[in-house]
Amino acid sequence: MERLFRLFENWLDPFDTPPTDDIPPTTGRFLWHFIGQSKGVFALMLLLGGITAVLEAAIFSFIGVIVDMLDAGSIETVLVDDRWTLIGMAVIVLVIRPITAILTVMLEEQTVVPGFFNRVRWQTNRRVLSQSLSYFQNDFAGRIAAKIWQTGQATGDFMISLLQILWFIVVFALSTLFLLAELDLWFVLIVVFWLLIYAVLAVKIIPIIRSRAKTTADTGSAVSGRLVDTYSNIQTVKLFGSSERELDGTRQSFESFLDSLRRFTRMLTIMRSLLAVLGSCMILGIGGLSIVLWGQAEITSGDVAIVLGLTLRLNLLLNRMMGQLNGLFRNLGTVQDGMDTIAKPIRVRDLPNATELEVRQGRIVFDGVGFRYGPGEAVIDNLSLSIEPGEKVGLVGHSGAGKSTLIHLLLRFYDLQKGTIRIDEQDISAIRQNSLRQSIGVVSQDTSLMHRSIRDNIAYGQIGCEPERIEEAARRAHAHEFIQELRDQKQRAGYDAHAGERGVKLSGGQRQRIAIARVLLKNAPILALDEATSSLDSEIEAAIQEQLYNLMAGKTVIAIAHRLSTIAAMDRLIVMEQGRIIETGTHQKLIDLGGAYARLWQHQSGGFLVPTQFG
Ligand code: ADP
């Protein structure tokens, strides 16, 4: 038994590498993308579904055979003359039917549910992970995760319903027609006529049901999106005492969901009611006809039993299918809805022949760079800047001038609309993104920590890093002291304590020190510091500056700091305004120039502060 289970369970490995990571954005191709990878499983399911339906029809026809046998003779003649027929029937009912049923259920529960569902989830997760940063900025993380989870299940459930219910009914209907044709063509005519009306109805109503199912799924995810929005901003909600207002807002989206849900279920109700009436008409027609034909001795009592049994069963199946259609379309709606998120085109992609970045000296050249986030104004406007190997450059400018954007472009979080960025003569758009980012150490204003141990957070991206090096980096970032004091809810302490949303809460300054430790450990040849010390108090900042300066030695550095004193000692300062460079030079040169930088400096220091020295 264990081996049988294993056989079915090992058939589909969810972690198999897909033939391509591209997932097509139309329903049919989206489904085929996954089904095509598991053809064997679904072909067997198709086969078993067909066999089950033929067996079911055959077993109904046995009723007629038995009635006629009993009609014709006594128990003795039946047991003697018809013994092979009876044995044949027994084998079908006792052996073939259970084996088919067991194989079907094995395939569904042991292969498709664990293997296929999770293969879809795994591959869609792979795909989503390679989406650009802006993809995640424009959606809720929780919503994306839910889509991946539900789409896996819905794709599998959809296929199960399609092959085990729809296909089953189609084969059963055909077998029924075949059996009826042997008795009288009038039966076939009535059933075909009835099936045709049924098909016309389905063709007319199913598209309406489909579109309403999609609207229902869309409005449903709008409700959960709204809930996530409220919960993730709970502090703001509480601060403004606006729970009631949030409830009102949620209610509105709930109501629009209910509205579309009702429109959807109305259509299902209409369809099912029509079918009930149609079914009754057909049963009456077939029943009446069989009595008439029996009266004319055209057919036997056994035939009447077969005809009635088969048509009643077909009617029952079709009604059940209507109930299942609800689930079928709900699943299809979920698949389409998930597909819209999952199969979104990837905005920033590695070129097929992308190469690894090779940082030889660390020269960075921005050449005529133009960039805007959306359709609005250019955020970086025809900007050219050459940073020499080992040069330390400070970016200065008012908030919104485009400083962070420039660093994000260097990291290729977005593709340029104009110009190129080159590192040691290699255009970054032709380089593998992972390789580019591995070569740049970044500390930003807001570091988010993962729900993992502090140790893993510091060593993030450095697999197999020795604990001593992690601790050393933490010491240099002045984080070792506070890390030792940490203890999370599960009593894990120090470097083992878990951080992140569900772990120990760290202050902005503490998180920043972890980020600095991370960068010290990563020791990449290029450094990008975006307000790297903005959350630290002055004492710790001064202490860490020294470590950062040590780290900067021999590297090319771009640093943004709001507090000018922290970057005034850089080799060169670049003053930006509205995505353009307006001044450039050393601190002293810019002060002497008496322009925008001099005014900023004046404003911040009152003219008295001396820049921090480094080196
Ligand atoms: P700075 O770092 O100089 O304060 P930023 O580079 O953060 O400036 O922002 C430059 C401009 O780009 C601002 O007008 C800002 O609103 C806009 N911006 C920044 N990030 C995004 C984003 N992810 N999507 C759309 N607009 C953005």
Side-chain angles (χ1 to χ4, degrees):
M1 198 63 189
E2 172 68 21
R3 280 181 55 194
L4 190 64
F5 274 132
R6 283 252 194 80
L7 185 72
F8 279 90
E9 284 165 359
N10 293 340
W11 193 348
L12 286 191
D13 179 0
F15 308 117
D16 266 356
T17 320
T20 154
D21 269 332
D22 253 338
I23 298 185
T26 48
T27 318
R29 288 171 55 216
F30 181 86
L31 288 170
W32 182 249
H33 174 80
F34 297 106
I35 296 156
Q37 295 176 44
S38 327
K39 286 191 202 82
V41 172
F42 290 107
L44 184 60
M45 231 165 149
L46 194 75
L47 182 72
L48 285 173
I51 295 178
T52 314
V54 171
L55 283 178
E56 179 104 356
I59 289 170
F60 268 96
S61 72
F62 294 167
I63 302 174
V65 177
I66 291 173
V67 169
D68 280 343
M69 263 184 217
L70 303 185
D71 233 14
S74 63
I75 185 75
E76 290 80 20
T77 56
V78 168
L79 284 182
V80 177
D81 298 347
D82 300 317
R83 66 176 187 282
W84 287 114
T85 316
L86 285 174
I87 289 172
M89 290 181 189
V91 168
I92 288 180
V93 174
L94 262 177
V95 182
I96 301 183
R97 187 171 184 264
I99 288 181
T100 321
I102 291 172
L103 285 180
T104 306
V105 74
M106 274 278 176
L107 200 60
E108 179 183 328
E109 300 292 359
Q110 304 311 121
T111 308
V112 177
V113 172
F116 184 75
F117 281 28
N118 295 300
R119 171 179 280 190
V120 176
R121 288 171 178 154
W122 181 250
Q123 293 186 4
T124 47
N125 167 45
R126 253 177 88 107
R127 152 89 180 196
V128 163
L129 258 182
S130 61
Q131 284 284 3
S132 66
L133 189 67
S134 55
Y135 171 91
F136 292 95
Q137 285 171 337
N138 292 329
D139 210 333
F140 298 109
R143 207 185 78 97
I144 301 176
K147 295 268 171 229
I148 286 181
W149 208 251
Q150 292 161 358
T151 305
Q153 165 140 16
T155 311
D157 275 342
F158 175 77
M159 286 312 293
I160 292 175
S161 320
L162 201 67
L163 294 181
Q164 296 204 338
I165 298 165
L166 268 185
W167 171 238
F168 173 84
I169 290 171
V170 168
V171 177
F172 186 83
L174 289 176
S175 316
T176 301
L177 287 175
F178 179 76
L179 289 169
L180 293 182
E182 293 195 336
L183 301 177
D184 195 293
L185 280 181
W186 275 108
F187 289 129
V188 177
L189 272 180
I190 294 179
V191 173
V192 166
F193 181 64
W194 173 65
L195 285 175
L196 274 181
I197 299 185
Y198 183 88
V200 169
L201 261 183
V203 168
K204 289 263 173 253
I205 294 185
I206 280 176
I208 307 178
I209 295 185
R210 271 182 71 151
S211 85
R212 293 194 181 176
K214 171 106 170 52
T215 319
T216 309
D218 285 348
T219 47
S221 29
V223 176
S224 57
R226 170 93 205 186
L227 295 182
V228 173
D229 195 26
T230 307
Y231 297 156
S232 45
N233 292 302
I234 195 69
Q235 193 178 2
T236 315
V237 174
K238 298 259 177 230
L239 271 177
F240 286 83
S242 54
S243 308
E244 286 297 324
R245 226 170 329 129
E246 281 302 312
L247 272 182
D248 283 347
T250 313
R251 192 181 159 126
Q252 273 176 13
S253 48
F254 241 108
E255 275 171 359
S256 97
F257 164 66
L258 269 177
D259 214 42
S260 43
L261 180 64
R262 287 195 192 106
R263 281 164 53 80
F264 171 53
T265 48
R266 267 187 193 189
M267 232 38 232
L268 291 177
T269 305
I270 291 176
M271 179 101 168
R272 287 169 65 181
S273 311
L274 278 174
L275 286 167
V277 174
L278 277 172
S280 302
C281 295
M282 190 232 13
I283 293 168
L284 193 77
I286 294 275
L289 180 65
S290 53
I291 292 170
V292 170
L293 289 174
W294 178 82
Q296 296 168 349
E298 295 273 337
I299 59 174
T300 64
S301 322
D303 294 339
V304 176
I306 296 181
V307 171
L308 287 179
L310 279 174
T311 42
L312 281 175
R313 179 75 181 133
L314 188 59
N315 181 53
L316 204 73
L317 280 177
L318 285 171
N319 277 346
R320 200 176 81 196
M321 184 178 83
M322 292 319 298
Q324 300 281 351
L325 269 186
N326 183 3
L328 195 76
F329 286 111
R330 202 179 35 227
N331 282 326
L332 194 62
T334 307
V335 172
Q336 287 172 327
D337 190 43
M339 180 185 74
D340 289 345
T341 300
I342 291 159
K344 262 209 186 111
I346 296 181
R347 298 268 285 278
V348 179
R349 309 190 82 123
D350 285 344
L351 290 178
N353 53 352
T355 51
E356 303 285 310
L357 177 66
E358 205 187 312
V359 182
R360 293 177 291 261
Q361 298 176 294
R363 175 180 285 110
I364 304 173
V365 176
F366 293 83
D367 190 358
V369 172
F371 174 75
R372 60 171 71 98
Y373 284 99
E377 268 184 42
V379 173
I380 300 294
D381 192 5
N382 198 17
L383 180 142
S384 293
L385 169 67
S386 176
I387 305 173
E388 297 306 310
E391 192 182 13
K392 283 128 195 86
V393 159
L395 293 182
V396 183
H398 290 289
S399 164
K403 306 179 295 291
S404 300
T405 304
L406 203 62
I407 289 188
H408 288 167
L409 292 179
L410 174 66
L411 289 160
R412 202 175 164 220
F413 283 154
Y414 310 92
D415 274 330
L416 306 180
Q417 273 112 24
K418 249 178 58 197
T420 50
I421 299 177
R422 295 189 298 274
I423 297 177
D424 285 341
E425 294 312 311
Q426 300 152 84
D427 185 340
I428 61 162
S429 64
I431 279 166
R432 285 188 46 244
Q433 295 171 64
N434 283 346
S435 136
L436 170 70
R437 291 171 200 147
Q438 272 155 15
S439 309
I440 306 178
V442 182
V443 185
S444 62
Q445 314 172 38
D446 191 31
T447 305
S448 59
L449 297 182
M450 302 207 153
H451 185 63
R452 301 177 190 174
S453 69
I454 295 284
R455 179 178 295 108
D456 289 350
N457 266 293
I458 296 178
Y460 190 73
Q462 317 265 322
I463 302 149
C465 182
E466 304 90 28
E468 304 81 55
R469 285 185 53 216
I470 297 174
E471 214 176 290
E472 206 233 343
R475 276 183 208 278
R476 287 174 59 197
H478 291 261
H480 182 69
E481 298 75 22
F482 81 79
I483 291 174
Q484 283 181 312
E485 308 292 317
L486 296 176
R487 185 174 288 276
D488 68 16
Q489 285 171 352
K490 292 197 176 148
Q491 302 304 321
R492 289 170 292 216
Y495 285 86
D496 291 318
H498 277 40
E501 211 173 314
R502 288 167 292 141
V504 280
K505 304 286 175 290
L506 301 183
S507 72
Q510 289 173 328
R511 275 185 286 140
Q512 208 152 42
R513 277 182 271 171
I514 303 255
I516 291 170
R518 243 184 214 172
V519 168
L520 288 169
L521 196 62
K522 184 172 173 182
N523 201 18
I526 296 171
L527 271 185
L529 308 174
D530 186 353
E531 305 267 11
T533 52
S534 57
S535 311
L536 305 179
D537 53 43
S538 349
E539 205 174 314
I540 293 188
E541 182 177 12
I544 287 183
Q545 279 295 352
E546 199 188 310
Q547 293 298 335
L548 278 178
Y549 293 145
N550 285 342
L551 179 71
M552 287 181 200
K555 298 189 170 151
T556 309
V557 181
I558 302 186
I560 303 175
H562 183 65
R563 265 178 288 188
L564 296 181
S565 56
T566 56
I567 53 167
M570 295 257 162
D571 298 333
R572 188 157 50 124
L573 300 178
I574 311 287
V575 186
M576 289 181 67
E577 201 177 281
Q578 293 183 342
R580 279 188 299 263
I581 298 178
I582 52 165
E583 287 172 15
T584 137
T586 59
H587 170 75
Q588 200 51 51
K589 185 182 156 204
L590 292 179
I591 293 286
D592 294 344
L593 191 72
Y597 179 78
R599 281 194 297 280
L600 275 173
W601 179 259
Q602 184 88 21
H603 189 72
Q604 277 196 9
S605 63
F608 297 115
L609 264 183
V610 190
T612 324
Q613 290 300 321
F614 77 88

mmCIF file of all heavy atoms in Angstrom, residues 532-534 536-548 561 563 565-566:
data_model
loop_
_atom_site.group_PDB
_atom_site.id
_atom_site.type_symbol
_atom_site.label_atom_id
_atom_site.label_comp_id
_atom_site.label_asym_id
_atom_site.label_seq_id
_atom_site.Cartn_x
_atom_site.Cartn_y
_atom_site.Cartn_z
ATOM 1 N N ALA A 532 22.261 56.820 4.939
ATOM 2 C CA ALA A 532 22.640 55.614 5.665
ATOM 3 C C ALA A 532 22.696 55.809 7.171
ATOM 4 O O ALA A 532 22.599 54.844 7.933
ATOM 5 C CB ALA A 532 24.000 55.126 5.175
ATOM 6 N N THR A 533 22.859 57.028 7.619
ATOM 7 C CA THR A 533 22.995 57.227 9.061
ATOM 8 C C THR A 533 21.904 58.166 9.578
ATOM 9 O O THR A 533 21.996 58.695 10.671
ATOM 10 C CB THR A 533 24.372 57.816 9.397
ATOM 11 O OG1 THR A 533 24.582 58.975 8.583
ATOM 12 C CG2 THR A 533 25.481 56.827 9.119
ATOM 13 N N SER A 534 20.848 58.327 8.767
ATOM 14 C CA SER A 534 19.831 59.331 9.118
ATOM 15 C C SER A 534 19.090 59.003 10.406
ATOM 16 O O SER A 534 18.618 59.893 11.100
ATOM 17 C CB SER A 534 18.837 59.465 7.981
ATOM 18 O OG SER A 534 18.266 58.207 7.723
ATOM 19 N N LEU A 536 20.350 57.515 13.063
ATOM 20 C CA LEU A 536 21.228 57.318 14.223
ATOM 21 C C LEU A 536 21.359 58.623 15.008
ATOM 22 O O LEU A 536 21.321 59.707 14.424
ATOM 23 C CB LEU A 536 22.618 56.893 13.753
ATOM 24 C CG LEU A 536 22.660 55.659 12.864
ATOM 25 C CD1 LEU A 536 24.094 55.357 12.459
ATOM 26 C CD2 LEU A 536 22.072 54.464 13.602
ATOM 27 N N ASP A 537 21.555 58.488 16.330
ATOM 28 C CA ASP A 537 21.814 59.733 17.049
ATOM 29 C C ASP A 537 23.270 60.129 16.836
ATOM 30 O O ASP A 537 24.116 59.313 16.448
ATOM 31 C CB ASP A 537 21.412 59.636 18.527
ATOM 32 C CG ASP A 537 22.050 58.458 19.190
ATOM 33 O OD1 ASP A 537 23.249 58.246 18.937
ATOM 34 O OD2 ASP A 537 21.356 57.731 19.942
ATOM 35 N N SER A 538 23.584 61.392 17.107
ATOM 36 C CA SER A 538 24.869 61.936 16.640
ATOM 37 C C SER A 538 26.062 61.174 17.178
ATOM 38 O O SER A 538 27.048 60.960 16.473
ATOM 39 C CB SER A 538 25.022 63.404 17.006
ATOM 40 O OG SER A 538 23.834 63.924 17.473
ATOM 41 N N GLU A 539 25.938 60.692 18.430
ATOM 42 C CA GLU A 539 27.089 60.025 19.028
ATOM 43 C C GLU A 539 27.426 58.737 18.275
ATOM 44 O O GLU A 539 28.560 58.496 17.873
ATOM 45 C CB GLU A 539 26.745 59.697 20.474
ATOM 46 C CG GLU A 539 27.947 59.579 21.365
ATOM 47 C CD GLU A 539 27.462 59.391 22.790
ATOM 48 O OE1 GLU A 539 26.542 60.126 23.222
ATOM 49 O OE2 GLU A 539 27.968 58.478 23.432
ATOM 50 N N ILE A 540 26.383 57.933 18.074
ATOM 51 C CA ILE A 540 26.607 56.674 17.357
ATOM 52 C C ILE A 540 26.984 56.965 15.920
ATOM 53 O O ILE A 540 27.836 56.297 15.328
ATOM 54 C CB ILE A 540 25.346 55.798 17.443
ATOM 55 C CG1 ILE A 540 25.166 55.368 18.892
ATOM 56 C CG2 ILE A 540 25.461 54.593 16.531
ATOM 57 C CD1 ILE A 540 24.101 54.382 19.107
ATOM 58 N N GLU A 541 26.372 57.974 15.347
ATOM 59 C CA GLU A 541 26.689 58.310 13.963
ATOM 60 C C GLU A 541 28.180 58.589 13.812
ATOM 61 O O GLU A 541 28.840 58.058 12.918
ATOM 62 C CB GLU A 541 25.887 59.523 13.499
ATOM 63 C CG GLU A 541 26.177 59.841 12.035
ATOM 64 C CD GLU A 541 25.357 60.995 11.499
ATOM 65 O OE1 GLU A 541 24.724 61.700 12.305
ATOM 66 O OE2 GLU A 541 25.370 61.192 10.280
ATOM 67 N N ALA A 542 28.719 59.393 14.737
ATOM 68 C CA ALA A 542 30.140 59.731 14.654
ATOM 69 C C ALA A 542 30.982 58.466 14.730
ATOM 70 O O ALA A 542 31.935 58.281 13.964
ATOM 71 C CB ALA A 542 30.505 60.696 15.768
ATOM 72 N N ALA A 543 30.581 57.548 15.638
ATOM 73 C CA ALA A 543 31.342 56.309 15.798
ATOM 74 C C ALA A 543 31.255 55.462 14.537
ATOM 75 O O ALA A 543 32.243 54.867 14.091
ATOM 76 C CB ALA A 543 30.806 55.543 16.996
ATOM 77 N N ILE A 544 30.078 55.423 13.953
ATOM 78 C CA ILE A 544 29.904 54.557 12.785
ATOM 79 C C ILE A 544 30.529 55.168 11.542
ATOM 80 O O ILE A 544 31.059 54.454 10.693
ATOM 81 C CB ILE A 544 28.409 54.272 12.580
ATOM 82 C CG1 ILE A 544 27.956 53.318 13.673
ATOM 83 C CG2 ILE A 544 28.152 53.651 11.223
ATOM 84 C CD1 ILE A 544 26.545 52.899 13.538
ATOM 85 N N GLN A 545 30.470 56.492 11.462
ATOM 86 C CA GLN A 545 31.084 57.154 10.307
ATOM 87 C C GLN A 545 32.496 56.624 10.086
ATOM 88 O O GLN A 545 32.903 56.333 8.968
ATOM 89 C CB GLN A 545 31.158 58.673 10.524
ATOM 90 C CG GLN A 545 29.864 59.421 10.232
ATOM 91 C CD GLN A 545 29.460 59.352 8.762
ATOM 92 O OE1 GLN A 545 30.212 58.881 7.925
ATOM 93 N NE2 GLN A 545 28.246 59.784 8.468
ATOM 94 N N GLU A 546 33.206 56.471 11.211
ATOM 95 C CA GLU A 546 34.586 56.030 11.108
ATOM 96 C C GLU A 546 34.651 54.658 10.422
ATOM 97 O O GLU A 546 35.457 54.425 9.531
ATOM 98 C CB GLU A 546 35.140 55.948 12.520
ATOM 99 C CG GLU A 546 36.636 55.959 12.574
ATOM 100 C CD GLU A 546 37.067 55.682 13.993
ATOM 101 O OE1 GLU A 546 36.547 56.357 14.908
ATOM 102 O OE2 GLU A 546 37.884 54.763 14.172
ATOM 103 N N GLN A 547 33.757 53.755 10.861
ATOM 104 C CA GLN A 547 33.729 52.419 10.257
ATOM 105 C C GLN A 547 33.345 52.503 8.790
ATOM 106 O O GLN A 547 33.882 51.797 7.953
ATOM 107 C CB GLN A 547 32.719 51.531 10.996
ATOM 108 C CG GLN A 547 33.102 51.200 12.417
ATOM 109 C CD GLN A 547 34.401 50.413 12.467
ATOM 110 O OE1 GLN A 547 34.783 49.733 11.516
ATOM 111 N NE2 GLN A 547 35.106 50.518 13.587
ATOM 112 N N LEU A 548 32.396 53.407 8.503
ATOM 113 C CA LEU A 548 31.973 53.536 7.115
ATOM 114 C C LEU A 548 33.124 54.062 6.268
ATOM 115 O O LEU A 548 33.350 53.598 5.154
ATOM 116 C CB LEU A 548 30.773 54.487 7.015
ATOM 117 C CG LEU A 548 29.407 53.869 7.332
ATOM 118 C CD1 LEU A 548 28.315 54.919 7.249
ATOM 119 C CD2 LEU A 548 29.089 52.725 6.371
ATOM 120 N N ALA A 561 23.048 62.269 1.873
ATOM 121 C CA ALA A 561 22.791 62.530 3.284
ATOM 122 C C ALA A 561 22.044 63.827 3.408
ATOM 123 O O ALA A 561 22.304 64.790 2.690
ATOM 124 C CB ALA A 561 24.090 62.586 4.059
ATOM 125 N N ARG A 563 21.910 65.413 6.320
ATOM 126 C CA ARG A 563 22.836 66.241 7.103
ATOM 127 C C ARG A 563 24.110 66.428 6.297
ATOM 128 O O ARG A 563 24.902 65.494 6.154
ATOM 129 C CB ARG A 563 23.147 65.552 8.435
ATOM 130 C CG ARG A 563 22.240 66.049 9.551
ATOM 131 C CD ARG A 563 22.530 65.336 10.823
ATOM 132 N NE ARG A 563 22.052 63.957 10.739
ATOM 133 C CZ ARG A 563 22.029 63.111 11.769
ATOM 134 N NH1 ARG A 563 22.458 63.489 12.947
ATOM 135 N NH2 ARG A 563 21.585 61.895 11.615
ATOM 136 N N SER A 565 26.827 67.804 6.842
ATOM 137 C CA SER A 565 28.122 67.630 7.503
ATOM 138 C C SER A 565 28.663 66.219 7.303
ATOM 139 O O SER A 565 29.867 66.002 7.308
ATOM 140 C CB SER A 565 27.994 67.936 8.992
ATOM 141 O OG SER A 565 26.999 67.123 9.546
ATOM 142 N N THR A 566 27.768 65.240 7.110
ATOM 143 C CA THR A 566 28.252 63.865 6.981
ATOM 144 C C THR A 566 28.850 63.574 5.612
ATOM 145 O O THR A 566 29.555 62.589 5.448
ATOM 146 C CB THR A 566 27.134 62.841 7.252
ATOM 147 O OG1 THR A 566 26.071 63.125 6.361
ATOM 148 C CG2 THR A 566 26.639 62.896 8.666
#
